[in-house]
Amino acid sequence: MITTKEEIEAFYKKLFPITRSLTGNGNLETIRILNEIINLNVSKVPTGEKVFDWTIPNEWNIKEAWIKNTKGEKIIDIANSNIHIMSYSESIHTKLKLKELAAHLFYLLEQPNAIPYKTSYYHRNWGFCLTYNDYKNNFNDEEEYEVFIDSELKEGHLSYADYLIEGKSQSEYLISTYFCHPSMVNDNLSGVLLTAFLAKEFSKLSLNYSYRFVFIPETIGAITYCWKNEEKMKNLLGGFVVSCVAGPGKFGYKKTYLENSLLDRIVNYTLFENGIDFIKYPFEPQGSDERQYSSPGFRIPVGLITKDKFHEYEYYHTSLDDLNFAKPEYLIDSLKIYLEVIKNLDANQKFISLNPNCEPQLGRRGLYPTIGRRTIKSNTESYNELDVILWLLFYGDGSLTLFEIHEKTGIAFADLVNAAEILKEKNLMNLMPVGKE
Ligand code: ZN
């Protein structure tokens, strides 16, 4: 792996303070910084454009937002944290008593030190988010509060970016992440950075399949991306939504809608081989953009490998999901796993004999006597190099992938991949990309 903890730390610091949302300058600034890692293609879709059943919303930018008490002291100010403002808040300048203001203040009784993260994308509203402790200490029924929000909601653009890696085959996998959250790390600065560094890692390798790395605002962005790339997206083999990958807790895997697809099985195998004890989550439409990509028109099997999955950790959607919580070293752990999983996916191909009528003469090709009888230990049983070759030749009718031959024989996937390469070099077999399930 070429990515270092120091690099991740440096990008964490650059990207953390930026105010991101569905649209706006912060999103473009985020893409600009990600361009220092990989060279992204940027697309802009104008406000009002129809994308399937949805419409691109107005662009939102926030300049200033605060509340002052009667002494003129700012008791909330987004200069201190961009989570203080409800995303897509409209402009307002008024004086209110707590009675009227209360409907626009959000805090968490059960987590008195956390600022909750709130949005109101499709319903015109305004609001401030604060810790319960700040609420208790700074607000009372007597005072009148000056409320000021200077935001802009205007016709503009929704921006997204992608990065394509062309492998030997046109068949593609998708790796998608969302960058619409302001200053929170596990959800989802971690996913954004993991995806960018994963793309960088893979850009240096020779690959069997092609890969599509996608950076979008959640939901509307995924819908827009599918709208703009409909034909291509309908042929994708499978993929991942990279969300919440740097928590201190356990790894988890949310299955694809197929639950037991090749991709699901390869993820399970890779995690197991790497000695990772992980939580298995069933597929459900609730979650992230997997429900767009797996919707009836597209049916891409999309899974999520997480480390402290959304909805499951205490600091989810609060200001405490910060750099102290979701540390760079946890992100490195997840990046390693994603790398291993995608390497295995990439190595999995269909295996077809070029000499299907009875077994080929191995000795003549220097395969039989030189193989010897060295025993390789697998997790399930012992086998030798000749066994590996004979099983491959036996199953090489083109109906099975290498991973499925592993499942049938118990031979370690990596041993099958190595032996398949040797048989290919000897012109005994051909390797073909897997098809869409
Ligand atoms: Zn979220």
Side-chain angles (χ1 to χ4, degrees):
M1 197 165 82
I2 50 175
T3 310
T4 64
K5 194 183 131 198
E6 290 68 35
E7 267 180 284
I8 289 178
E9 216 152 15
F11 280 96
Y12 256 17
K13 285 186 182 140
K14 282 191 213 181
L15 290 165
F16 180 76
I18 299 173
T19 304
R20 286 168 286 263
S21 186
L22 291 189
T23 59
N25 299 332
N27 292 15
L28 284 171
E29 175 67 1
T30 299
I31 292 172
R32 192 193 61 73
I33 293 171
L34 292 174
N35 261 315
E36 296 169 21
I37 305 170
I38 39 162
N39 206 354
L40 293 165
N41 311 305
V42 184
S43 302
K44 289 178 163 192
V45 186
T47 298
E49 186 166 326
K50 286 283 240 176
V51 290
F52 296 118
D53 198 42
W54 294 58
T55 306
I56 302 294
N58 275 333
E59 185 175 324
W60 181 74
N61 283 295
I62 180 89
K63 290 174 196 154
E64 210 181 323
W66 43 258
I67 299 176
K68 283 181 185 171
N69 60 17
T70 38
K71 285 185 216 148
E73 296 162 337
K74 284 183 184 167
I75 49 178
I76 304 180
D77 186 354
I78 61 155
N80 301 323
S81 167
N82 58 31
I83 303 178
H84 277 313
I85 189 76
M86 182 165 75
S87 196
Y88 266 71
S89 283
E90 56 187 351
S91 285
I92 189 161
H93 191 193
T94 186
K95 288 194 173 178
L96 295 171
K97 289 274 201 171
L98 183 57
K99 206 162 67 136
E100 297 110 356
L101 182 56
H104 299 275
L105 295 180
F106 303 95
Y107 48 82
L108 297 166
L109 277 171
E110 65 280 14
Q111 284 189 79
N113 286 316
I115 308 168
Y117 162 56
K118 292 261 172 222
T119 65
S120 186
Y121 298 138
Y122 301 105
H123 167 65
R124 281 280 181 111
N125 198 355
W126 59 270
F128 283 89
C129 306
L130 70 166
T131 69
Y132 179 61
N133 286 339
D134 278 347
Y135 174 75
K136 243 181 7 191
N137 295 333
N138 294 318
F139 289 89
N140 57 64
D141 291 331
E142 286 73 50
E143 277 186 79
E144 194 173 55
Y145 299 94
E146 183 181 355
V147 178
F148 181 76
I149 299 174
D150 182 10
S151 70
E152 194 180 55
L153 264 168
K154 54 151 200 199
E155 290 200 357
H157 293 90
L158 177 146
S159 305
Y160 64 84
D162 63 9
Y163 181 80
L164 307 175
I165 299 179
E166 265 187 54
K168 292 186 195 105
S169 159
Q170 301 274 303
S171 300
E172 263 184 35
Y173 285 103
L174 167 76
I175 294 123
S176 176
T177 194
Y178 54 92
F179 60 69
C180 49
H181 288 35
S183 300
M184 286 170 290
V185 183
N186 196 36
D187 186 20
N188 191 37
L189 185 51
S190 72
V192 174
L193 279 179
L194 187 145
T195 305
F197 281 110
L198 197 61
K200 186 178 175 187
E201 295 274 348
F202 278 108
S203 67
K204 307 269 188 279
L205 304 177
S206 159
L207 297 162
N208 292 316
Y209 295 94
S210 297
Y211 294 86
R212 181 173 290 262
F213 295 84
V214 174
F215 302 80
I216 41 160
E218 209 172 12
T219 310
I220 182 77
I223 293 167
T224 304
Y225 195 85
C226 286
W227 167 257
K228 291 282 180 189
N229 300 277
E230 187 174 346
E231 279 315 302
K232 196 79 211 179
M233 297 296 281
K234 285 192 171 169
N235 290 320
L236 288 180
L237 296 175
F240 297 94
V241 165
V242 186
S243 162
C244 301
V245 288
K250 269 177 114 173
F251 276 102
Y253 178 59
K254 180 181 170 183
K255 296 174 186 177
T256 71
Y257 79 95
L258 292 173
E259 301 247 319
N260 197 30
S261 67
L262 257 178
L263 185 142
D264 291 300
R265 278 139 54 208
I266 288 174
V267 171
N268 281 327
Y269 175 77
T270 312
L271 289 167
F272 180 78
E273 284 280 288
N274 282 276
I276 289 169
D277 176 27
F278 63 102
I279 307 166
K280 288 183 184 172
Y281 299 101
F283 178 81
E284 55 173 2
Q286 281 282 4
S288 185
D289 290 324
E290 60 277 18
R291 71 171 173 273
Q292 314 306 339
Y293 300 131
S294 304
S295 62
F298 291 93
R299 287 290 191 246
I300 309 164
V302 172
L304 291 85
I305 301 166
T306 62
K307 198 166 179 312
D308 274 322
K309 183 177 159 288
F310 42 75
H311 300 300
E312 305 269 316
Y313 62 101
E314 199 187 349
Y315 298 159
Y316 173 66
H317 277 191
T318 75
S319 58
L320 299 181
D321 180 355
D322 61 11
L323 297 163
N324 295 319
F325 173 72
K327 295 191 166 86
E329 48 265 44
Y330 307 142
L331 185 69
I332 291 265
D333 291 344
S334 293
L335 180 59
K336 279 184 193 153
I337 289 302
Y338 262 100
L339 266 169
E340 291 301 314
V341 165
I342 296 171
K343 277 182 187 165
N344 280 343
L345 267 185
D346 197 72
N348 191 35
Q349 298 183 81
K350 280 199 168 162
F351 196 64
I352 302 159
S353 175
L354 297 174
N355 194 101
N357 297 326
C358 303
E359 75 175 48
Q361 198 186 355
L362 296 178
R364 183 156 58 81
R365 295 176 171 85
L367 287 170
Y368 194 85
T370 57
I371 287 162
R373 283 272 164 191
R374 189 172 70 82
T375 299
I376 309 163
K377 293 265 183 228
S378 80
N379 292 316
T380 47
E381 55 191 297
S382 66
Y383 49 86
N384 62 48
E385 288 176 19
L386 179 61
D387 292 331
V388 179
I389 287 184
L390 290 178
W391 276 119
L392 273 176
L393 289 168
F394 181 76
Y395 278 124
D397 59 11
S399 66
L400 296 178
T401 68
L402 292 173
F403 190 77
E404 288 164 314
I405 298 174
H406 147 74
E407 291 176 315
K408 280 195 174 287
T409 61
I411 297 169
F413 181 58
D415 291 337
L416 288 169
V417 171
N418 290 338
E421 281 302 326
I422 293 168
L423 292 178
K424 195 182 159 201
E425 272 166 38
K426 299 279 182 189
N427 284 323
L428 284 173
M429 308 297 273
N430 223 343
L431 289 163
M432 305 275 288
V434 303
K436 187 168 177 178
E437 278 178 84

